[in-house]
Amino acid sequence: MKGIAAGIGVVVLSPLLLAGTAMMMASSSEASTTSSFSGCLTGIDTAEVTKEVTKLLDGASGKDVHIQGLDLPAEQIPNAQTIVATGISLDVPKKGQIIAIATAMQESRLRNLNSGDRDSLGLFQQRPSQGWGTAQQIRDPVYASERFYKALLKVDGWQQMKVTQAAQAVQKSGYPDAYAQWEDLATALQKAIAATFPNADKDESAKDTTKDTDTKPSAGGCTPDKDGTSFGRIPEGSVPKGYKIPKDADPKARTAIEWAMQQLGTLYQWGGSCTDAHGPDPMGRCDCSSLMQQAYAHADVHLTRTTYTQVNEGKAVSAKNLKPGDLIFSRGTAARPEHVGLYMGEGLVIEAPRTSKPVRITPIKDWEILAVRRVL
């Protein structure tokens, strides 16, 4: 996860620093949001929440997903996913992710609000006037989550605090005990969403001394059945011996994979169009997103040009349900990844990795998956 944390700094983290206690004060909108709910959500069935979250992430309609406490799951679950993914990217322990989700549930009901008390905005109802960022920045769920985590990590002893105490230390709310009502739901959501990110719990025991002894890392069960290790070391630019595109692959996915494989061994070129990877002009070579775009163009499927936009193509699916042709995103954050590859089946991914490296095939075990999109 250290690599992800380093990558995210390049993409979205700004050099803004919290300046005094004023930076820790996000005016709450609880007065307007808590009136519709009283008491704690207890007895949450984590297995049921996991099933419903997975159903939505696999493309089910929000109207077919039912989770106690979530009235708008199609809007709320993706926001919770962004909070968890951002926490994972920043190496924030599980408890910190739970605190963040509980806070966002109380402040906005996990909705990216355009307004609130005074100038409060977004998932955490952060205020531009209190130094949390511009209105545009705060309305970016990734930015808002990062700023919350940065503030939380500055709280001395936060890991030993109750969830509501830690949330209150950041938010300075007029309703200091209100966050407690969402702890069970936040815990279930964090567990369900983290399970869709392979290796999300790697090194967790070293970071989180509050890790439940009866809860084992669930991310390992969400990796594909095949992780590519059976092919051994794969020389760059080559097809591993024994690989064949799975027979059940969608015909368009097969076409895209076959075309991408024809570019194996050609050098990466940032900003390259991938329209003539074997030609003399470097700008005709491929970068990661142009390889995806051109591979699918040859299958009569239109994709946008950049990784930042391709992460919104098609529909989101869980990393445990990969199919040949799926786009796999890594580095940076789930909402704003820096890299994309094409899943080939059999635990393999074809990619244009970076400057000085050729288009190559790599085992999926080497990928820190932040998001998966199915474009067919």
Side-chain angles (χ1 to χ4, degrees):
M1 303 314 295
K2 302 297 183 187
I4 302 180
I8 194 172
V10 177
V11 184
V12 267
L13 285 180
S14 73
L16 293 174
L17 297 175
L18 296 178
T21 56
M23 296 291 292
M24 304 288 284
M25 297 182 66
S27 180
S28 301
S29 61
E30 294 95 332
S32 61
T33 58
T34 57
S35 59
S36 61
F37 181 85
S38 61
C40 293
L41 279 173
T42 58
I44 298 291
D45 185 337
T46 300
E48 183 64 22
V49 171
T50 299
K51 184 183 77 172
E52 295 296 296
V53 166
T54 301
K55 187 193 304 182
L56 184 76
L57 296 180
D58 282 345
S61 168
K63 65 183 180 181
D64 298 323
V65 173
H66 305 285
I67 298 175
Q68 184 184 7
L70 300 185
D71 297 328
L72 300 168
E75 178 181 358
Q76 293 163 310
I77 290 175
N79 285 331
Q81 184 184 39
T82 295
I83 291 171
V84 171
T86 304
I88 291 171
S89 298
L90 295 175
D91 277 349
V92 176
K94 177 179 72 173
K95 182 173 181 178
Q97 299 167 33
I98 292 170
I99 294 167
I101 294 173
T103 301
M105 274 299 304
Q106 175 60 23
E107 299 287 355
S108 68
R109 293 297 187 270
L110 278 173
R111 295 168 297 156
N112 194 17
L113 299 178
N114 288 314
S115 61
D117 180 33
R118 287 171 281 187
D119 58 338
S120 300
L121 296 167
L123 290 175
F124 298 92
Q125 289 291 278
Q126 294 156 331
R127 297 179 60 191
S129 65
Q130 297 300 312
W132 288 92
T134 66
Q136 182 178 5
Q137 287 174 323
I138 291 171
R139 284 271 298 144
D140 177 351
V142 174
Y143 175 91
S145 298
E146 288 171 348
R147 293 306 305 273
F148 178 86
Y149 284 127
K150 288 178 68 177
L152 176 66
L153 296 175
K154 285 180 175 286
V155 175
D156 187 32
W158 69 268
Q159 292 199 58
Q160 285 70 52
M161 295 179 180
K162 294 181 180 179
V163 167
T164 193
Q165 292 172 330
Q168 171 65 3
V170 175
Q171 299 297 98
K172 304 295 184 184
S173 167
Y175 301 83
D177 299 321
Y179 305 102
Q181 64 187 321
W182 306 111
E183 182 173 352
D184 284 0
L185 177 59
T187 300
L189 285 173
Q190 189 280 334
K191 182 176 181 179
I193 293 168
T196 69
F197 296 103
N199 300 318
D201 284 335
K202 187 173 69 175
D203 296 331
E204 181 75 19
S205 58
K207 295 180 295 180
D208 189 357
T209 58
T210 64
K211 191 177 182 70
D212 297 332
T213 55
D214 61 346
T215 302
K216 297 181 180 180
S218 55
C222 292
T223 54
D225 292 337
K226 297 182 180 179
D227 62 5
T229 55
S230 62
F231 293 101
R233 180 181 175 276
I234 305 172
E236 289 191 335
S238 68
V239 178
K241 184 178 180 180
Y243 169 76
K244 292 183 180 180
I245 301 174
K247 292 181 180 179
D248 60 351
D250 184 285
K252 291 189 175 182
R254 179 179 296 275
T255 298
I257 293 168
E258 289 174 344
W259 189 90
M261 289 171 64
Q262 293 171 18
Q263 317 314 313
L264 285 169
T266 60
L267 283 178
Y268 175 98
Q269 176 61 52
W270 186 84
S273 65
C274 203
T275 54
D276 189 13
H278 296 274
D281 182 0
M283 296 311 294
R285 299 173 190 164
C286 309
D287 64 15
C288 65
S289 55
S290 65
L291 178 63
M292 304 299 105
Q293 183 187 49
Q294 292 303 317
Y296 266 112
H298 284 77
D300 295 322
V301 176
H302 173 76
L303 297 182
T304 51
R305 173 62 182 85
T306 71
T307 305
Y308 300 146
T309 55
Q310 287 176 1
V311 75
N312 297 313
E313 301 276 6
K315 66 178 182 180
V317 295
S318 170
K320 67 181 179 181
N321 293 320
L322 292 175
K323 291 184 179 180
D326 286 347
L327 302 184
I328 299 176
F329 296 86
S330 68
R331 305 176 198 163
T333 68
R336 193 172 173 80
E338 295 180 326
H339 187 55
V340 61
L342 183 65
Y343 185 62
M344 304 170 63
E346 302 298 318
L348 299 175
V349 185
I350 189 166
E351 62 171 345
R354 61 181 182 275
T355 300
S356 81
K357 291 290 186 178
V359 174
R360 65 186 183 183
I361 295 172
T362 53
I364 200 166
K365 70 177 182 63
D366 293 343
W367 284 66
E368 297 284 3
I369 301 176
L370 294 176
V372 179
R373 304 294 293 194
R374 184 162 296 155
V375 299
L376 297 175

